[in-house]
Amino acid sequence: MRSLYTCYPSEELAAWYKPKESDLTESIRSRFKEACAALTAVLTGDMGITRAADAHGLCHKRLRAMVKRAPQLAHDGQPYGFRVCVPWGTYQRGEQKGDAEMPRLAGPHAMSQLLSARPEIAIWIDEFGQPLPPGRPPKAFDRLHAKIVAELKRLDLRDFYPLNQADQGRRALLRFIRQRRIDHSDVGNLDTADAPPSTLSGIFRGSPFARTEIDGHRIDIEAVLGVALPNGGSVKRQITSMWLLVEIEVESRVIVGWVLRVGRAYNNLDLGSCITNSLQPWKRRELTIPGLEYAPGAGLPSGSLGAHSSWRSRLLALDNAKAHSALDFEQAFCRARGGMLFYGRAHEPRSRPIVEQFFSRLERGALRDVPGGFEPAKRLGENKIRISNFAPNDYPIQLHAFEELLDVIIANYNATPHPALGDLSPLQFLQMQGPKAFAFMPDTAEEDASDMGSVLVPLTVHGNRNEGVMPHVNYMYVRYRSPDLDHKWELVGKKVLARVRRHDLRSFVLMRTATTPLCAVRAAAPWNRTAHDETTRAMVMKWSKLRAGFSITGADCAIAAYVAFLRAQAPTSQQAVDQLARMEQVHNGTPPSSRPPTINAPMKIPPGGWISLDDENDF
């Protein structure tokens, strides 16, 4: 009978390599024999493809591919032969020989046909070794695609694939390279032991507090703030956004520390505050909300693990947000907290899955029932869905009370059974595991928590002996003086180190060296009355420079004057509303007033010995 394929004599087929049946498992030997018989019948010309496939129970397409593949030379220089009859893993698309044509339409194997027709493009792809992680490809891939497109245009192949596609084959090229890397990846021998770890984080992987994750989350609540106006009455204005910063341990899922901030974004000082809260011993708050209470065993590790309350992680994972990479945060972290900072890419939750999952559970389980809670839109052009049954205008938010709610929710979460822990709570899991060898548990938690909010900065000593200007230093637009610094003219013009407590800028310490103090300096009026942090002072100076009718000149207290100005601007300024909400949160719902009551003012009793009036105001 006439065959469409090249026929071979039986003697030549017998010389082809044939795997031993003893090397195959018992379950596939019968299938291997049927495939060999069908291949022999077609190549000797006794049967056609269809008849041989039906007679031996094979797929027509599979038998046709076997017939094409068997005579071709393998990598060892011999024909594939009966190796193609092994049931799986050896049937690949045969390499096209001769001059291949350029594909005209997109379809299966169009990219492979393109590379066969243009070998120089195949070489470029083979030489491309840049990683292609999930998501947006790197710029190196864009340069490769642009190079291929330019070469095809130079050859005037605009009517062929891929130049006749809308994206000029960009997506197909990306998919082709990724899939080929997966197909040719070296998985190694699965029976051998894993390679020894080469990094410090790999040594302690799998043990508690080997890694914690920290990130900020914009809370899905349209909160409304009630603002008391200077002339009496009140006005309700919406807050732009609220941010929740959380540090979570990945093995136990326990919340280590958290902080709430109001505004368009959070900064590195807020990030440091979250780390500070994880170091300070946690205590239960005196709750003021009726019906709100802590669950039995609720708490944070810093106040619930007894002798192991100072347990810290060796590695802190966070994304590359601008606030996370600030030098002030890195300096304080390396000096006070210790450990490794592992930066990942922003907007990629796969690198920090535990903290992202916690934010999702927190929103769905609790926060969206708060007045103003909503579910954000998932696609472009869609609208958010309101979840809460309470209108935010009917229930203005009180941030100090909202912090109480968050503290109870997070503390109770640590005492709630978690399905990933075998129905153990995160705190129970930590107590059962206990610290392992080389656990990171310094005994200086309170000192480190205080030091986490400080920064060491160099300052220049200013002064003029001829004009009678005593030596002083300037920090964030404010002059700082001390009686111990007076008449020390030899320091004028020199650099000294300053240990600045970033949460209270009323005073700080000048240092002779990094460890030896020189003297304590105090801010000039009106900055020496009320405690304030760097963010507050920066906001005050920003409003003052805008010349928007605000000035601290002649004010008794800069912070009280600032709060009064914000109350006056709140009806017309969204920025003033956000900053006023932040001030109420920082001062526990009672921001400083421009007229403090004198009945609560401390009595000034002259001490014995010399009396100094340097800290008094001159009217």
Side-chain angles (χ1 to χ4, degrees):
M1 63 178 297
R2 183 171 177 269
S3 176
L4 298 178
Y5 301 95
T6 303
C7 296
Y8 299 88
S10 302
E11 295 78 8
E12 185 176 352
L13 295 182
W16 285 1
Y17 175 76
K18 184 176 183 180
K20 298 180 180 179
E21 294 185 11
S22 60
D23 296 336
L24 305 177
T25 59
E26 187 68 28
S27 59
I28 66 173
R29 290 179 184 178
S30 59
R31 298 167 57 189
F32 175 71
K33 292 179 182 179
E34 295 291 341
C36 292
L39 180 63
T40 303
V42 174
L43 293 180
T44 55
D46 294 340
M47 295 183 180
I49 293 288
T50 303
R51 183 182 173 188
D54 294 340
H56 297 279
L58 297 180
C59 175
H60 299 178
K61 294 182 179 179
R62 177 185 170 188
L63 181 57
R64 185 177 294 107
M66 290 165 53
V67 171
K68 291 181 179 179
R69 186 76 170 176
Q72 298 179 6
L73 296 181
H75 297 289
D76 56 1
Q78 301 295 328
Y80 282 99
F82 293 97
R83 283 179 282 191
V84 301
C85 298
V86 179
W88 54 72
T90 58
Y91 310 108
Q92 303 175 5
R93 181 177 175 86
E95 294 83 359
Q96 297 181 4
K97 295 185 178 180
D99 296 333
E101 297 182 355
M102 286 286 297
R104 289 187 174 274
L105 300 176
H109 310 292
M111 187 61 65
S112 300
Q113 186 177 352
L114 166 66
L115 300 185
S116 300
R118 310 307 311 173
E120 67 276 9
I121 297 180
I123 295 176
W124 296 345
I125 295 178
D126 292 338
E127 295 176 348
F128 181 75
Q130 295 292 330
L132 294 175
R136 195 171 189 175
K139 293 183 179 180
F141 172 79
D142 295 335
R143 290 192 292 268
L144 173 65
H145 178 256
K147 184 179 179 180
I148 295 175
V149 171
E151 176 66 16
L152 295 178
K153 289 182 178 179
R154 186 186 68 83
L155 298 174
D156 196 17
L157 298 175
R158 292 178 173 82
D159 296 335
F160 295 87
Y161 178 85
L163 296 186
N164 56 7
Q165 302 298 309
D167 63 344
Q168 297 183 329
R170 182 179 183 275
R171 181 176 298 180
L173 178 63
L174 178 62
R175 184 170 56 248
F176 175 81
I177 297 177
R178 285 175 171 170
Q179 186 61 40
R180 190 171 70 166
R181 289 182 178 181
I182 295 175
D183 295 339
H184 294 81
S185 61
D186 185 12
V187 298
N189 189 357
L190 300 179
D191 295 331
T192 60
D194 295 336
S198 58
T199 60
L200 185 61
S201 60
I203 297 176
F204 302 103
R205 183 173 299 165
S207 59
F209 278 96
R211 170 189 170 111
T212 56
E213 299 175 357
I214 189 172
D215 202 359
H217 171 71
R218 189 196 300 266
I219 302 178
D220 298 333
I221 295 177
E222 292 181 338
V224 173
L225 181 69
V227 181
L229 301 178
N231 58 353
S234 62
V235 63
K236 297 178 181 178
R237 292 297 306 273
Q238 183 175 341
I239 300 174
T240 302
S241 59
M242 294 186 295
W243 293 85
L244 177 63
L245 283 76
V246 168
E247 181 183 3
I248 186 171
E249 201 274 324
V250 298
E251 292 296 327
S252 63
R253 272 71 169 176
V254 68
I255 303 299
V256 180
W258 65 276
V259 72
L260 177 69
R261 283 297 175 260
V262 180
R264 296 185 180 274
Y266 62 92
N267 55 22
N268 66 89
L269 183 60
D270 302 329
L271 184 66
S273 299
C274 183
I275 302 295
T276 301
N277 292 340
S278 67
L279 299 177
Q280 291 176 341
W282 178 85
K283 297 180 180 179
R284 295 197 174 194
R285 302 190 181 197
E286 295 183 2
L287 303 179
T288 60
I289 303 177
L292 187 66
E293 59 183 9
Y294 293 98
L300 269 63
S302 59
S304 304
L305 294 182
H308 308 317
S309 297
S310 60
W311 208 351
R312 306 180 194 176
S313 65
R314 300 181 183 88
L315 185 143
L316 180 65
L318 62 172
D319 59 25
N320 59 354
K322 187 176 181 180
H324 298 176
S325 57
L327 293 179
D328 290 343
F329 168 73
E330 293 182 358
Q331 178 193 137
F333 181 87
C334 296
R335 182 185 65 253
R337 201 263 191 196
M340 296 176 288
L341 292 174
F342 183 78
Y343 289 97
R345 293 186 177 181
H347 309 296
E348 289 189 5
R350 296 183 186 91
S351 60
R352 296 167 304 281
I354 306 300
V355 68
E356 296 291 349
Q357 182 191 39
F358 169 76
F359 286 140
S360 177
R361 294 184 62 184
L362 182 64
E363 288 283 1
R364 290 184 282 105
L367 297 184
R368 287 178 183 170
D369 293 330
V370 176
F374 64 91
E375 180 180 352
K378 297 181 179 179
R379 294 182 177 87
L380 188 64
E382 294 183 354
N383 297 325
K384 55 190 175 184
I385 303 175
R386 298 189 181 276
I387 303 298
S388 176
N389 296 324
F390 304 96
N393 287 328
D394 297 337
Y395 300 92
I397 193 169
Q398 299 179 14
L399 292 174
H400 63 285
F402 187 57
E403 280 190 327
E404 287 186 9
L405 176 63
L406 286 177
D407 190 66
V408 172
I409 290 175
I410 292 176
N412 292 351
Y413 162 83
N414 287 339
T416 303
H418 199 288
L421 304 176
D423 289 334
L424 293 176
S425 69
L427 288 176
Q428 289 175 342
F429 180 84
L430 284 180
Q431 292 169 355
M432 292 184 62
Q433 291 289 327
K436 301 296 189 294
F438 307 106
F440 188 25
M441 293 190 301
D443 55 356
T444 57
E446 295 187 8
E447 294 82 354
D448 293 342
S450 177
D451 202 18
M452 187 67 201
S454 67
V455 64
L456 196 65
V457 295
L459 299 177
T460 302
V461 179
H462 299 276
N464 193 316
R465 187 170 188 175
N466 297 330
E467 297 180 2
V469 180
M470 289 297 177
H472 62 275
V473 294
N474 296 328
Y475 183 72
M476 291 194 68
Y477 316 104
V478 177
R479 176 178 296 187
Y480 287 80
R481 282 192 55 196
S482 171
D484 297 331
L485 203 60
D486 291 347
H487 302 291
K488 292 186 178 180
W489 307 108
E490 68 278 5
L491 296 177
V492 175
K494 295 183 178 180
K495 292 282 188 179
V496 294
L497 295 176
R499 177 75 68 185
V500 180
R501 302 292 178 183
R502 305 177 67 192
H503 294 279
D504 189 357
L505 298 184
R506 290 178 297 178
S507 62
F508 54 78
V509 179
L510 298 182
M511 312 292 290
R512 295 183 186 273
T513 63
T515 57
T516 306
L518 174 64
C519 64
V521 293
R522 189 170 180 84
W527 298 97
N528 57 347
R529 291 298 183 92
T530 305
H532 58 283
D533 56 14
E534 289 183 354
T535 304
T536 302
R537 181 176 292 184
M539 291 179 177
V540 173
M541 298 307 300
K542 180 179 179 180
W543 280 106
S544 180
K545 291 182 178 180
L546 288 177
R547 301 184 183 277
F550 172 67
S551 176
I552 59 174
T553 303
D556 183 58
C557 176
I559 308 304
Y562 171 60
V563 172
F565 173 76
L566 293 179
R567 293 188 185 279
Q569 295 291 322
T572 58
S573 174
Q574 181 63 49
Q575 188 177 8
V577 175
D578 295 338
Q579 296 179 14
L580 184 60
R582 181 185 179 277
M583 293 301 297
E584 290 192 1
Q585 179 199 4
V586 171
H587 294 276
N588 297 324
T590 56
S593 174
S594 58
R595 293 183 180 181
T598 57
I599 189 173
N600 293 329
M603 183 179 298
K604 297 182 180 181
I605 302 177
W610 292 96
I611 299 176
S612 174
L613 301 178
D614 290 342
D615 295 335
E616 298 296 323
N617 293 328
D618 295 329
F619 294 97

